[in-house]
C-alpha cells in the first residue's frame, strides 16, 4: 500500500548571525529615514512640524519593510512548499 509521509513543520533557528543581520538592516532603515528627513525638512518649519514629518517618514518606512518582509516570506514559502 501507498502511505503518504506527513510533512514536518518548518523550524527556523535564530542564530547569532541572523539576529545581527536583522538588527543591521533595521539600523540601515533608520539611517535612510534620517537622510530622507534631512533632505525634506524645511528650515522655516517649526520643530513640531519637522518632528511630524520624521514620524511620517519613519512610519511609512517601517510599514514598507514589514510588508516587504511578509511578501518575501510568503513567496519563499510558496516556492519551497
Amino acid at each position: 500500500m501507498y502511505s503518504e509521509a506527513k510533512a514536518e513543520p518548518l523550524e527556523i533557528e535564530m542564530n547569532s548571525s541572523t539576529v545581527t543581520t536583522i538588527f543591521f538592516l533595521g539600523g540601515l532603515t533608520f539611517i535612510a529615514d534620517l537622510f530622507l528627513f534631512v533632505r525634506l525638512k524645511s528650515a522655516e518649519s517649526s520643530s513640531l512640524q519637522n518632528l511630524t514629518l520624521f514620524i511620517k517618514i519613519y512610519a511609512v518606512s517601517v510599514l514598507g519593510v514589514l510588508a516587504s518582509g511578509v511578501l518575501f516570506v510568503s513567496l519563499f514559502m510558496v516556492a519551497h512548499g
Side-chain angles (χ1 to χ4, degrees), residues 30-77:
F30 184 76
I31 290 171
D33 292 338
L34 192 58
F35 281 123
L36 184 60
F37 168 71
V38 168
R39 298 216 70 197
L40 293 178
K41 78 174 185 161
S42 172
E44 299 86 34
S45 298
S46 70
S47 296
L48 182 61
Q49 289 174 330
N50 284 334
L51 179 64
T52 305
L53 174 65
F54 180 74
I55 290 172
K56 287 178 185 177
I57 292 170
Y58 188 70
V60 168
S61 179
V62 167
L63 291 174
V65 168
L66 289 173
S68 299
V70 167
L71 180 64
F72 174 78
V73 170
S74 298
L75 292 174
F76 181 80
M77 295 300 289

Side-chain angles (χ1 to χ4, degrees), residues 11-32:
E11 293 183 23
I12 299 173
E13 294 182 22
M14 296 283 285
N15 59 22
S16 178
S17 63
T18 304
V19 173
T20 302
T21 302
I22 291 171
F23 182 76
F24 181 71
L25 291 175
L28 286 178
T29 301
F30 184 76
I31 290 171

